[in-house]
């Protein structure tokens, strides 16, 4: 094991934890614990990305310590209190923390932002990207939420809808971000489904399982992104797909449609197609229509434009896209794809290059750059 490498990486890893919200002393302890783990593990199984390994390990150590300390303080507070009637509290307090941070004194958006920051482990930048707002705006929102609850006793939990929103955003960041939180989000959503009889809880769990089932096929061995149409469907987790579909069907049968059920229905249609060419895009457009009715989300309408382009042809997709503002994230990438489908390779290549410049992460930037290069090579050939 390269001890000099570890020493050189330690300040950088410590800085990353502090920027993510850990206080300096706790971050130092977490990094030290991660280094001890590296000494134990690396000789037999050296990581390909030493810094990434240390950041992930240290952040998990910090989260474990934070949760343990929070649980200890709550136990101390209850020492002289009579136990409350009803069910005993679960051994794992994480889900309860989600409910307590979703405090009724906060707006839903502020409660979600605070919970993602305080419990979910996301940075302000990651939360801002999820909400499609500037980082400074989100920082102010989180600060206001902290001030609002500063002198409030966390005795009245928030509602299920707010907790679902938090779990959904944590899963999305874990699924595509630099911190693996997807499995934790699924675990907590399973717990919530066992405690709460609500079709949208089931819908979110189904959605997570169906997306997670494709995770192994989303990247190539070199780490590059693999689009859905090009993924090796033989690598999809059929057990997770079957479980997700079963949970979704039971939720839909209750005739209380919500946005997570509708999103899960789209994911199920993708999972059900033996090949990309056999995807039922007409049904997917119908489900996006339901989602647009439920959420009026511009991101939903962007995804719908892609589906329309597949179901009715690229020009129909471009017409649907024209109704959306071009500042919407990934708008340019969608326009590039639809122009390519329509045979306009010059415009598609230019738009892929523009989309790469604005991509939110390195892997997406590399993918879009390769798409532009591929089309330019075809034109020159």
């Amino acid at each position: 094991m390269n001890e000099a490498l570890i020493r050189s990486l330690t300040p950088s890893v410590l800085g990353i934890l502090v920027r993510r919200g850990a206080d300096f002393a706790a971050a130092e302890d977490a990094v030290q614990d991660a280094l001890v783990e590296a000494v134990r593990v690396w000789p037999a199984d050296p990581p390909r990305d030493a810094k990434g390994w240390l950041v992930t390990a240290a952040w998990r150590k910090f989260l474990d310590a934070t949760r343990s300390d929070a649980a200890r303080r709550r136990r101390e507070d209850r020492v002289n209190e009579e136990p409350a009637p009803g069910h005993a509290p679960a051994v794992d307090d994480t889900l309860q923390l989600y409910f307590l941070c979703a405090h009724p004194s906060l707006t839903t958006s502020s409660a979600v932002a605070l919970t993602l920051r305080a419990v979910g482990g996301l940075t302000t930048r990651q939360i801002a990207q999820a909400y499609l707002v500037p980082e400074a705006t989100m920082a102010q929102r989180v600060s206001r939420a902290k001030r609002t609850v500063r002198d409030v006793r966390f005795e009245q939990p928030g509602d299920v809808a707010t907790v679902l929103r938090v779990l959904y955003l944590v899963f999305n960041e874990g699924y595509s971000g630099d911190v693996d939180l997807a499995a934790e989000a699924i675990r907590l959503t399973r717990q919530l489904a066992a405690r709460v009889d609500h079709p949208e809880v089931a819908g979110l769990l189904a959605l997570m399982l169906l997306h997670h089932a494709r995770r192994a096929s989303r990247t190539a061995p070199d780490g590059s992104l693999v689009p859905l149409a090009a993924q090796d469907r033989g690598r999809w987790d059929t057990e997770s797909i079957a479980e997700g579909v079963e949970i979704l069907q039971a939720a839909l049968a209750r005739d209380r449609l919500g946005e997570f059920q509708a999103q899960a229905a789209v994911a199920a249609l993708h999972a059900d197609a033996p090949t990309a060419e056999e995807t039922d895009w007409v049904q997917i457009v119908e489900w996006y229509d339901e989602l647009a009715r439920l959420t009026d989300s511009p991101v939903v309408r962007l995804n719908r434009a892609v589906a329309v382009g597949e179901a009715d042809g690229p020009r129909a997709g471009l017409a649907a896209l024209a109704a959306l503002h071009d500042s919407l994230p990934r708008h340019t990438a969608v326009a590039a794809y639809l122009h390519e489908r329509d045979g306009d390779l010059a415009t598609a290549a230019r738009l892929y290059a523009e989309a790469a410049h604005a991509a939110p992460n390195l892997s997406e930037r590399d993918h879009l750059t390769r798409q532009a290069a591929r089309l330019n090579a075809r034109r020159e050939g």
Side-chain angles (χ1 to χ4, degrees), residues 92-111:
D92 183 354
D93 295 318
T94 307
L95 188 60
Q96 185 65 16
L97 284 176
Y98 274 73
F99 272 97
L100 291 176
C101 283
H103 197 271
S105 64
L106 298 171
T107 64
T108 299
S109 60
S110 294

Side-chain angles (χ1 to χ4, degrees), residues 227 337 340 348-349 352-353 366-376:
Y337 173 74
E340 180 185 355
Y352 275 131
D366 288 345
H367 170 72
L368 293 167
T369 301
R370 282 193 295 271
Q371 296 296 87
R374 174 180 57 83
L375 293 187
N376 284 326

Side-chain angles (χ1 to χ4, degrees), residues 93-332:
D93 295 318
T94 307
L95 188 60
Q96 185 65 16
L97 284 176
Y98 274 73
F99 272 97
L100 291 176
C101 283
H103 197 271
S105 64
L106 298 171
T107 64
T108 299
S109 60
S110 294
V112 170
L114 177 63
T115 314
L116 289 171
R117 190 73 182 88
V119 186
L122 273 63
T123 66
T124 303
R125 175 174 297 179
Q126 290 169 320
I127 303 169
Q129 289 174 348
Y131 269 92
L132 308 180
V133 299
E135 183 177 354
T137 300
M138 184 53 64
Q140 292 175 355
R141 186 177 300 177
V142 173
S143 296
R144 284 196 301 269
K146 289 179 179 179
R147 289 196 298 270
T148 299
V149 300
R150 181 177 298 161
D151 299 320
V152 173
R153 287 186 60 84
F154 284 82
E155 296 173 335
Q156 185 179 357
D159 64 3
V160 172
T162 301
V163 174
L164 285 178
R165 178 64 52 191
V166 174
L167 290 170
Y168 173 64
L169 294 174
V170 169
F171 175 82
N172 281 345
E173 186 58 41
Y175 191 64
S176 60
D178 57 358
V179 180
D180 184 0
L181 295 170
E184 173 70 356
I186 291 174
R187 184 183 72 85
L188 293 172
T189 306
R190 285 191 187 278
Q191 287 187 7
L192 186 59
R195 291 169 51 179
V196 177
D197 182 23
H198 193 292
E200 272 294 79
V201 177
L204 178 57
L205 179 57
L207 176 63
M208 289 179 174
L209 290 169
L210 289 164
H211 276 307
H212 207 60
R214 303 199 302 259
R215 188 171 190 180
S217 64
R218 292 183 71 247
T219 54
D222 63 359
S224 59
L225 289 178
V226 180
L228 176 60
Q231 289 177 13
D232 178 1
R233 298 182 181 225
R235 299 183 65 195
W236 290 1
D237 183 347
T238 55
E239 290 187 6
S240 292
I241 290 173
E243 182 185 5
V245 169
E246 182 180 359
I247 292 170
L248 173 63
Q249 289 174 338
L252 291 174
R254 300 177 65 176
D255 198 25
R256 291 170 56 193
L257 183 64
E259 63 172 295
F260 294 125
Q261 296 169 70
Q263 287 191 60
V266 171
L269 286 167
H270 283 298
D272 187 54
T275 65
E277 293 73 21
E278 296 173 86
T279 303
D280 190 344
W281 286 105
V282 172
Q283 274 205 70
I284 289 176
V285 171
E286 293 173 354
W287 277 111
Y288 275 128
D289 287 338
E290 289 287 351
L291 264 172
R293 179 182 61 81
L294 290 165
T295 67
D296 196 28
S297 164
V299 175
V300 168
R301 296 187 185 279
L302 183 69
N303 291 333
R304 180 185 178 276
V306 176
V308 169
E310 299 289 352
D312 301 327
R315 294 193 179 183
L318 287 168
L321 185 65
L324 302 173
H325 199 282
D326 59 10
S327 65
L328 188 65
R330 296 186 173 88
H331 183 285
T332 306

